[in-house]
Every structure is written in structure tokens, then in C-alpha cells.
Amino acid sequence: MARFILDVSTNDIRKVLDVIERDEFISSNLTSIRCIDETNDNQFYSWDEDFSPMMNVLSKKQLETDREVLSKH
């Protein structure tokens, strides 16, 4: 299983779930969704100078939140 991080700039989880449900491949292969940051902090934007996906490193707080969520399951 591969892991991916999907950053969305909305706090409306219903809209995100609607998009996932519309795509058969994603909806049939997605195993979990975990919110690790309810803010737009620590995000990169395509208009940043010298843009690179490597700029989007998870913060210590995001990693701690992820561990906390996982520990409950």
C-alpha cells in the first residue's frame, strides 16, 4: 500500500468526500482519511518563488497529531 498526502484548502470535509465518492478508483481503493491540520498553516502554493513539493514538509505538530489519531485505532 502506498501513502499519499492530500492537501485541501477547505474545512468542508463533505465536499472532499463528495469528490472522492465520484471517482470509482479512489473510492474503491481509499482506506482512510486523517485530518492532521485544520488550518492552512505549513502549506505550499504553486505561485511561491522556486516552488518545489519538497517545501511542503510536515510540521512537528502535524506529525504528533497524526500519531495521536493513529493511536486511537
Side-chain angles (χ1 to χ4, degrees):
M1 174 173 46
R3 289 200 169 152
F4 299 90
I5 295 173
L6 171 66
D7 289 326
V8 292
S9 60
T10 181
N11 58 2
D12 188 346
I13 188 67
R14 184 72 250 159
K15 287 182 181 178
V16 176
L17 295 174
D18 288 345
V19 170
I20 291 169
E21 289 171 0
R22 278 184 272 172
D23 187 284
E24 183 179 339
F25 178 79
I26 294 174
S27 63
S28 64
N29 290 289
L30 186 69
T31 60
S32 66
I33 299 175
R34 296 188 308 274
C35 181
I36 61 170
D37 191 345
E38 294 181 1
T39 71
N40 279 331
D41 297 343
N42 203 47
Q43 306 298 317
F44 66 84
Y45 300 93
S46 60
W47 59 82
D48 285 347
E49 189 174 329
D50 300 322
F51 167 76
S52 163
M54 297 303 290
M55 294 167 62
N56 193 27
V57 177
L58 294 174
S59 70
K60 184 177 179 180
K61 182 178 184 315
Q62 289 170 323
L63 291 170
E64 289 170 355
T65 302
D66 187 44
R67 286 188 198 106
E68 181 182 331
V69 170
L70 280 174
S71 71
K72 295 177 182 178
H73 299 282

